[in-house]
Amino acid sequence: AKERSTFAVFLMDICCCCIACFGIVLSTYSEYQRSEFLKINANTLFTGGLFHYARHINYTGEVVLFAGWAMLTRSRYALIVPFFFFTTFHSFYVPDLDLHLKNKYTNEYKQWVTGTPWTMLPYVI
């Protein structure tokens, strides 16, 4: 029974690390896509790649990263960290950045919001 318990803990650790790694990839790859696009198309609103699915998908990746690490600690109190980041991103960063993008790229931004209505989580929020 002890071996099963140890193996189950190991599998849970692997799952938490995979969630954290997924968050890293989501955040980093979306930023990479935008960076590569802006090298060729400076001062243009990037609406492709992963940003086609959610306008601030990079923030989602960071929240997922913190959620994976918090779950790895096995402390419900650690879940405050990803919750705090999600709340902060969604309540402060996203509205401020959306206002900036709307003012800078008026027409392109309106089209982007119409085609990609989700701010952080595709088909949800």
Side-chain angles (χ1 to χ4, degrees), residues 53-70:
Y53 299 102
R55 294 192 312 272
H56 305 284
I57 197 81
N58 53 331
Y59 292 158
T60 305
E62 292 180 30
V63 172
V64 171
L65 163 64
F66 292 123
W69 288 129

Side-chain angles (χ1 to χ4, degrees), residues 42-111:
N43 294 315
T44 305
L45 180 63
F46 178 61
T47 62
L50 294 174
F51 288 96
H52 171 75
Y53 299 102
R55 294 192 312 272
H56 305 284
I57 197 81
N58 53 331
Y59 292 158
T60 305
E62 292 180 30
V63 172
V64 171
L65 163 64
F66 292 123
W69 288 129
M71 291 170 18
L72 189 61
T73 69
R74 290 186 185 71
S75 168
R76 66 178 170 252
Y77 301 110
L79 292 174
I80 292 170
V81 174
F83 177 77
F84 171 78
F85 273 92
F86 174 79
T87 303
T88 302
F89 286 145
H90 187 64
S91 301
F92 300 106
Y93 286 80
V94 167
D96 189 47
L97 183 55
D98 279 346
L99 182 61
H100 167 74
L101 295 173
K102 181 180 177 182
N103 290 334
K104 187 172 181 179
Y105 307 104
T106 306
N107 293 330
E108 296 91 340
Y109 179 79
K110 285 179 186 177
Q111 290 175 350

Side-chain angles (χ1 to χ4, degrees), residues 30-44:
S30 63
E31 290 291 355
Y32 171 77
Q33 288 177 316
R34 177 168 47 200
S35 172
E36 290 300 305
F37 174 83
L38 291 176
K39 285 179 185 176
I40 300 167
N41 307 285
N43 294 315
T44 305

